[in-house]
Each structure stands twice: as C-alpha cells, then as structure tokens.
Amino acid sequence: MAPRAKGGRLEIAADGECRSGPRTCVARHALPPIERDADRLARDRQRQRSRGAQVKPRHIERFLNWYIDRSLELSAKGGRPRRNDPKAGGLAAGTRMAQLGNLKHFFLFCASVEAIDASAQPVRDDLLEETKRAQRSVTTGEERYLPFTRNEIQGIFDPVRYLRATTGDAEFFWSPLLALFTGARQGEIAQLTLGKIRNEDGVDFIRIDDRVKTENSGRRVPISDTLVDLGFLNYVDHVRKLAVDVLGIEPKKVPLLPLFPMQTRGRTFETNPGKRVSAFFARYLDNEELGIKEEEKHRKVFHSFRHSFVSALEALEVHETQIQLLVGHAAQEGHARRDIGRQFTSVTRRYTHHDVEGLHTEKLLSRLKGHLTDIDFGLQVLHLRAAADIVLEKLVPNRKGGPWQSGWHTNATDVTEEMVARLEAAIAEEQGVRSTPLEGSL
C-alpha cells in the first residue's frame, strides 16, 4: 500500500514503517524486501549505539590500567617525586588509596544495577592491600615527613630571599612563619579569620577550631614573642583598621573577615584551603640555595614545619602532654612518645585536668606560652621585621568586595628589585647602627 499525501504531510501506509520526510519514506518503500530488512537492521544498530554500548570486564580493566598510568604521569609532571616512591614517582599512598576506594565503590554500584558483570572485580583486593601497605609506611616507616634542620630553616627565612620569593604576598609571607611557631597545619592556617586572633588574661593566642582534622585538633595556641617581634599582631591590627576605615565594615562584622583577605574563597578553597600556599611553597623549596638535600626533598614539605615545631619542644624537654595540647594530638597519637604504653597514656589522660584551682599557679595558656618563649631557630628577626613592614605596605583593600591586593605580580621584576633594594638598605642601616661604637666608649 503506497503512502499518500494528506494536509501537506505524508501519511504512512498501513505497515507504519515511515517516520521521516516524503522523499526518504518513498525511497525506503521503493526498496526490495531483502534490502528493506537490511536497512531496518542498520537503523536498529544505530539506535542501539546511541543508547550506549555494553560495558564488559575487558573495558573496565583497560580503563583501570589507563587510569593508574595516567595518575603516575600526572604526579610526575611537577618534577618532584612523591614521598611514597621517590624513584618512580606516583601519587601519594593516601591519595591513591582514596581514589582506588572511590573506583571500587563506583564499580560496585555498576554491578548492582547490572551495568557490568558482578564477578568482574576490576579493582583487585591485592592492589588495595599493596596501597594500604604503602600508606602505612608513610606514617610508620622511612617515608614519613622530615623536620627542617636549623640551617634549612635559616635558609628558608633568609630575609632577602624570602621577600623576593613571596613577592610581598601576606599569605605567602606569614603562613610558613605561623606553621613554624605554632605547629598548625596548612589548612588550619588558611581558614583563620580575624576573630580567631584573641587575647585572654593578657596572653595573645590563635583559636583553631574550624574544620579541624580530629576532635582533639580544636585548640588555643599562644602567639610566641618571636611572632610578635616579627610584626604578626601588627599585621592583624592593620587588616582590622583597613576593613573599618577604608571599606566601612561594621566593627562587629570584622572578626568574620579572613586573616588573609587576598584569598579567593571559591570551590577550590572549600575542598583544599591550603592549595594556594602549597603550590607557592613547593616551588620555593626547589630553590637549590636553601641547601636541602636532593634525596630528602620529597620528604620535606610545608608540613615539615609542624615536625620542626614538635621536635624543638621535645629538645627543650617539654612534657609530652603539653606538646599534644599545643598541636592538637590525642595522647596515643603523640609524636614525642617516651616509652609509655598506649593504654596507660590514654587512661592517664582521662584523669588529667590542666587548670585546677589551688594546684596550678599559672593558667594553661600562660604555661603553654612559656614553652614557646624558649624556641629559637636563629632567625634574623629584625631583618624579617623590615620585610614584614614592606608586605604590610603592599596590602590594598578591594572596595568592590573581592580579594584584596597583596604584594606584586611575579613577573614585575622591577618592583621586586626595588623592594629588595629597600630591604637591603634597611639591613645595612641596622647593621651600621650596631657596629657604630657608643658615644664615650673606648
């Protein structure tokens, strides 16, 4: 039965085959029966391909192999081998474990909806177990992070080199110093607001309690005299003053402002608050002038400041409990263990109270600050203070509400040299004053 036109459109004959325009429909019905069946089969295959091909175990295995190879390739791009395999490179063991776990759950879901064969097991248990062993070796074996040595710390914070590297950016300048003198984690520092810098009973301290790693991580860390001498509290007061005087922010809302208002707090910040400083510091540590041994570079990172802080306290024979209070460790997780059994330490901690009237003559914060006063890494404090003043000068609020401008662009070499020349002149002047004999002296 031939198709016939009706109302300007083509009406299909009784077999109901044609769904397209007149020319296509007439051409198809003009085909011999065998060729018409072949045409129908080709169109059925095309519809099947549009719905998606069937996923088979070999496809999953091929994808997983590609994924692992791609991970190794991406992790080696930065030129610095990862801590779990310094020779071959690769993602850190913890990262690899998390990603393999996500893949395993994804494929389990695919099997539950019968998208793949349930017996495929694309993420092998032996691969997960191998990754677990590598992850454990990071924290208990030879591949854990190392603290910076005293000479390395002095090299990192050489005033001229440090100002040149940070390009006057306040977050780049202060974050490593805060990590060194408080033991705070990178993410904890990045999330600080102005309201977290407080004073109680005459002791300035930092309150760390936002999105902390563990329940024990919420803590108060006194601000050491060295940080005060470097100008940290001066920086905090300056940001508060600019917020009120320049931006017109109500004083009661100022505590909510970020400590480092030059941050862009978008999606990346929510998932990885310390990424901005991490990228900067990784580049900075590649500087050969810092004197870090090549074979140790993969184990000395920003987190090494936390190790240096704890190690410095242990060298001063500060009690383990006091160290744990400063860095937010539970007793059984303390790095400075002194041959005390895990069970005994945790039970003893249950009975320990740090502020008991009539027993403690000093408040806890005062006692903790006393421990920090004795830490000395041999930094050039006066010269670093001069660099901090330049950083303060280059902080400009954004009247439109966006991130503040801080420092200068990396490619602005003329500005860099100008600021470095100013710092060198200030250092030379200070050294000249110190070398000049006092009037009336012999």
Side-chain angles (χ1 to χ4, degrees):
M1 186 175 181
R4 58 183 182 277
K6 180 179 180 181
R9 296 174 60 86
L10 190 68
E11 186 176 0
I12 308 304
D15 58 4
E17 274 289 311
C18 192
R19 293 290 186 274
S20 53
R23 295 182 181 178
T24 305
C25 187
V26 171
R28 285 177 180 168
H29 280 276
L31 292 173
I34 296 179
E35 294 185 24
R36 187 184 306 167
D37 292 338
D39 180 68
R40 184 185 298 112
L41 180 61
R43 284 185 281 119
D44 289 341
R45 286 179 177 174
Q46 179 63 34
R47 284 195 294 270
Q48 183 179 6
R49 283 195 295 269
S50 67
R51 288 195 299 267
Q54 182 180 3
V55 179
K56 297 183 178 180
R58 69 173 183 274
H59 299 144
I60 299 172
E61 183 178 1
R62 189 182 307 167
F63 163 75
L64 190 60
N65 290 333
W66 170 86
Y67 182 83
I68 294 174
D69 292 341
R70 180 63 174 161
S71 298
L72 293 172
E73 177 187 345
L74 289 175
S75 62
K77 271 189 173 182
R80 173 178 295 191
R82 296 289 180 162
R83 63 182 183 273
N84 60 300
D85 191 359
K87 295 182 180 179
L91 292 175
T95 304
R96 214 167 55 226
M97 187 67 196
Q99 294 187 356
L100 286 175
N102 291 337
L103 282 175
K104 183 174 183 178
H105 285 98
F106 169 72
F107 289 128
L108 286 175
F109 167 77
C110 291
S112 68
V113 296
E114 300 182 352
I116 63 173
D117 185 357
S119 63
Q121 291 186 338
V123 183
R124 304 188 311 275
D125 291 335
D126 60 333
L127 181 61
L128 287 171
E129 186 58 34
E130 178 185 350
T131 307
K132 285 181 181 179
R133 287 196 296 270
Q135 187 179 18
R136 286 194 294 268
S137 71
V138 171
T139 54
T140 61
E142 297 181 352
E143 296 304 326
R144 71 177 70 184
Y145 290 127
L146 290 175
F148 292 115
T149 67
R150 183 182 174 89
N151 287 337
E152 288 169 348
I153 290 173
Q154 293 173 2
I156 290 170
F157 294 108
D158 174 80
V160 174
R161 183 187 299 127
Y162 193 56
L163 179 64
R164 187 190 298 274
T166 60
T167 61
D169 187 293
E171 186 178 20
F172 294 167
F173 185 90
W174 285 112
S175 293
L177 287 167
L178 287 173
L180 179 63
F181 287 101
T182 67
R185 300 178 179 89
Q186 188 174 338
E188 293 172 341
I189 295 172
Q191 296 176 93
L192 289 175
T193 61
L194 293 174
K196 300 300 181 182
I197 315 301
R198 306 176 185 177
N199 183 286
E200 182 178 307
D201 297 327
V203 179
D204 295 300
F205 67 94
I206 300 173
R207 177 67 188 177
I208 299 175
D209 56 6
D210 287 336
R211 292 169 59 186
V212 290
K213 184 176 180 180
T214 66
E215 182 179 352
N216 296 292
S217 297
R219 61 198 185 277
R220 299 176 299 171
V221 184
I223 297 174
S224 68
D225 292 338
T226 304
L227 281 175
V228 175
D229 294 340
L230 288 170
F232 175 65
L233 292 181
N234 191 40
Y235 165 79
V236 174
D237 292 338
H238 186 67
V239 175
R240 288 171 175 162
K241 190 172 187 302
L242 289 176
V244 175
D245 296 347
V246 178
L247 300 182
I249 298 177
E250 297 180 31
K252 64 180 181 180
K253 295 182 179 179
V254 170
L256 302 177
L257 290 178
L259 176 63
F260 301 114
M262 65 291 306
Q263 296 169 333
T264 301
R265 295 203 166 193
R267 181 176 299 177
T268 301
F269 182 88
E270 290 299 318
T271 56
N272 187 0
K275 184 175 182 179
R276 182 174 183 264
V277 174
S278 176
F280 151 72
F281 197 70
R283 293 192 303 268
Y284 183 44
L285 287 184
D286 284 333
N287 189 336
E288 295 182 356
E289 296 179 356
L290 300 182
I292 300 176
K293 297 178 182 179
E294 190 64 34
E295 62 271 18
E296 293 182 350
K297 281 188 174 181
H298 66 287
R299 297 169 62 189
K300 292 191 174 181
V301 294
F302 188 96
H303 200 69
S304 296
F305 287 126
R306 185 170 170 86
H307 288 251
S308 298
F309 176 77
V310 173
S311 300
L313 291 173
E314 197 277 336
L316 292 171
E317 298 185 351
V318 177
H319 194 277
E320 179 186 10
T321 303
Q322 304 291 296
I323 296 176
Q324 292 169 350
L325 290 171
L326 283 166
V327 297
H329 284 158
Q332 62 271 21
E333 297 172 350
H335 286 294
R337 196 181 309 281
R338 295 183 177 176
D339 300 323
I340 300 177
R342 175 175 300 187
Q343 181 180 0
F344 176 80
T345 303
S346 59
V347 171
T348 302
R349 186 175 180 84
R350 186 186 309 168
Y351 292 92
T352 302
H353 304 270
H354 302 290
D355 276 320
V356 181
E357 186 177 353
L359 293 181
H360 296 102
T361 57
E362 271 189 304
K363 292 284 188 178
L364 176 61
L365 273 176
S366 298
R367 298 203 307 275
L368 293 178
K369 183 172 182 178
H371 301 319
L372 303 185
T373 303
D374 297 328
I375 294 179
D376 181 16
F377 294 108
L379 300 185
Q380 303 177 50
V381 176
L382 291 177
H383 303 166
L384 278 171
R385 175 59 187 261
D389 291 340
I390 294 176
V391 172
L392 200 67
E393 176 187 320
K394 292 295 180 180
L395 184 63
V396 181
N398 189 334
R399 297 178 183 274
K400 296 182 179 179
W404 293 18
Q405 179 181 338
S406 183
W408 52 90
H409 195 277
T410 308
N411 296 332
T413 55
D414 53 338
V415 180
T416 300
E417 296 308 318
E418 178 187 350
M419 296 301 108
V420 167
R422 281 181 52 185
L423 177 59
E424 289 175 336
I427 292 174
E429 181 180 355
E430 188 272 333
Q431 290 175 338
V433 170
R434 282 194 304 168
S435 62
T436 302
L438 294 176
E439 185 178 352
S441 62
L442 296 177

